[in-house]
Structures are given as structure tokens and as C-alpha cells.
């Protein structure tokens, strides 16, 4: 079983991305969970969402305290949330940032595992014309965690976007391009 914890801010789409990942993994025949942790969240407040993905039925129904992977949708959270809490050293963290490797590493306390970065702001502005970091971050965690093949993600997301954006088909191409760019641009630091 692979466990993923998402850190974002209300309105950035971390919850939506975790649910999209759950749907895509389900469509590849996996057992899944995708759920947010609710509290007094409001626009801009830190939020947490979770995924479990397995080849076997999942019988655990709790938050994830020792994730294999962590996704940080907003790098300002590195200053106020311990995003590495419980993160397994054999896993990895994926951060949306344009900051240099030394600055990012210095904010991760004593974490010694793999760190990946992708500039989801740049990607979403180039492909969508607005700042929607969740689509690039979804692609980045799929690439790093290998929970499915890139092609499976792209195929599933195209169908999902066609359904979700049936009344706004002009945004489908931008979202697909955001996924493809993030798959290519996520890098280890």
C-alpha cells in the first residue's frame, strides 16, 4: 500500500487533486482512498488531504501519520507546518516551488529522504493562464510515486476533464498540457 499526504491551502485544489488521484488509481483496478481532513478551513488556511492506493482491499480508516510520499502544494507551508512529520525516509516529498535546492532543503529540518520540486505556478500560468497548482502537482506525485504509468494518468484525466469541463471545453487542452509539462519538469534536488 502507498500512502500519500497532501499539504496545501484552502482554495488551491489539494483536496480535489487527492480525489482525482483516487479516481485515476481506481480506474487502473487499484483499491483507493482519497479524503480531506476537515477542520475550520477557510480560503488560504492550511489544509491536509490523503490518499491510500493498494492492490489489496484497504481496511484502515484513519488519517495517515507515516506517509510514503508528501505533496506540498504551497511552499510557504514549509515555514509553518511540519510537512515531513512521519514521512518515511525511503519515500519522497514533492514541493511546488521555484526556490533553489539549498533554501528548500534548509526548511525540511532533518529530513534525509528524496526531495523533488516542480514549479506548478509557472506551469499553470503558461498552460491555463491562471494559478491552479493542483493539476501539475497531481502529475508530479504520479511521476515520483509511480502509482500508475504516465500514459494511464493522461488517458484517465482526459476523460475526467471532458466530463468535468463539458461546458468549458476550452480548458481541457490547458489542463492536459499542465499535466504533460509537470511530468517532464518535476526534478530531484
Amino acid at each position: 500500500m502507498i500512502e500519500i499526504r497532501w499539504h496545501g491551502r484552502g482554495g488551491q485544489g489539494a483536496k480535489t487533486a487527492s480525489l482525482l488521484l483516487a479516481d485515476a488509481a481506481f480506474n487502473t483496478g487499484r483499491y483507493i482512498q482519497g479524503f480531506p481532513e476537515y477542520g475550520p478551513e477557510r480560503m488560504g488556511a492550511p489544509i491536509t488531504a490523503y490518499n491510500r492506493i493498494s492492490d489489496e482491499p484497504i481496511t484502515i480508516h484513519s488519517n495517515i501519520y507515516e506517509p510514503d510520499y508528501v505533496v506540498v502544494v504551497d511552499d510557504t507551508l514549509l515555514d509553518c507546518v511540519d510537512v515531513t512529520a512521519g514521512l518515511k525516509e525511503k519515500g519522497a516529498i514533492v514541493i511546488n516551488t521555484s526556490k533553489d535546492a539549498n533554501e528548500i532543503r534548509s526548511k525540511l529540518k532533518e529530513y534525509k529522504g528524496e526531495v523533488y520540486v516542480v514549479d506548478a505556478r509557472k506551469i499553470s500560468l503558461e498552460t491555463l493562464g491562471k494559478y491552479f497548482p493542483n493539476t501539475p502537482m497531481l502529475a508530479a506525485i504520479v511521476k515520483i510515486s509511480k502509482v500508475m504509468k504516465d500514459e494511464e494518468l493522461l488517458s484517465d484525466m482526459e476523460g475526467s476533464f471532458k466530463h468535468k469541463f463539458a461546458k468549458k471545453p476550452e480548458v481541457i487542452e490547458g489542463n492536459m498540457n499542465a499535466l504533460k509539462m509537470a511530468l517532464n519538469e518535476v526534478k530531484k534536488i
Side-chain angles (χ1 to χ4, degrees):
M1 178 167 40
I2 294 172
E3 294 182 313
I4 301 168
R5 186 174 65 216
W6 296 75
H7 292 279
R9 293 191 179 276
Q12 291 180 325
K15 173 189 152 190
T16 300
S18 75
L19 297 177
L20 286 170
L21 177 57
D23 285 345
F26 177 79
N27 290 335
T28 67
R30 313 284 297 276
Y31 292 89
I32 56 93
Q33 288 180 351
F35 56 98
E37 179 178 355
Y38 282 111
E41 283 83 9
R42 61 194 185 288
M43 189 70 77
I47 66 105
T48 310
Y50 304 93
N51 286 112
R52 285 191 179 95
I53 302 169
S54 178
D55 292 326
E56 305 293 326
I58 301 170
T59 59
I60 303 167
H61 299 285
S62 67
N63 289 349
I64 295 171
Y65 300 103
E66 295 182 346
D68 299 290
Y69 299 94
V70 167
V71 181
V72 181
V73 181
D74 186 322
D75 65 2
T76 64
L77 292 170
L78 300 176
D79 297 320
C80 59
V81 175
D82 184 4
V83 297
T84 62
L87 178 57
K88 296 174 183 168
E89 272 193 37
K90 295 194 184 223
I93 185 168
V94 183
I95 304 167
N96 168 20
T97 191
S98 61
K99 295 180 176 145
D100 71 59
N102 290 333
E103 185 176 355
I104 293 301
R105 280 268 184 203
S106 72
K107 294 178 185 242
L108 297 177
K109 304 191 179 179
E110 303 299 316
Y111 180 67
K112 303 287 188 236
E114 293 182 346
V115 179
Y116 293 84
V117 296
V118 65
D119 191 344
R121 175 180 295 278
K122 176 186 78 72
I123 291 170
S124 66
L125 289 174
E126 283 181 26
T127 59
L128 301 167
K130 293 184 179 180
Y131 183 46
F132 295 113
N134 61 337
T135 300
M137 295 309 291
L138 170 61
I141 191 58
V142 166
K143 183 73 163 190
I144 301 314
S145 67
K146 298 175 177 48
V147 295
M148 68 184 68
K149 294 177 181 159
D150 296 356
E151 301 77 30
E152 290 174 317
L153 172 71
L154 293 172
S155 175
D156 191 82
M157 287 296 96
E158 186 169 26
S160 179
F161 291 153
K162 283 180 180 175
H163 176 73
K164 182 177 181 176
F165 300 122
K167 294 185 179 182
K168 295 191 284 186
E170 65 278 4
V171 302
I172 296 170
E173 183 179 356
N175 275 284
M176 291 304 297
N177 288 337
L179 289 170
K180 291 172 188 172
M181 280 182 74
L183 287 169
N184 290 324
E185 293 185 16
V186 64
K187 66 181 187 262
K188 187 176 178 179
I189 60 170

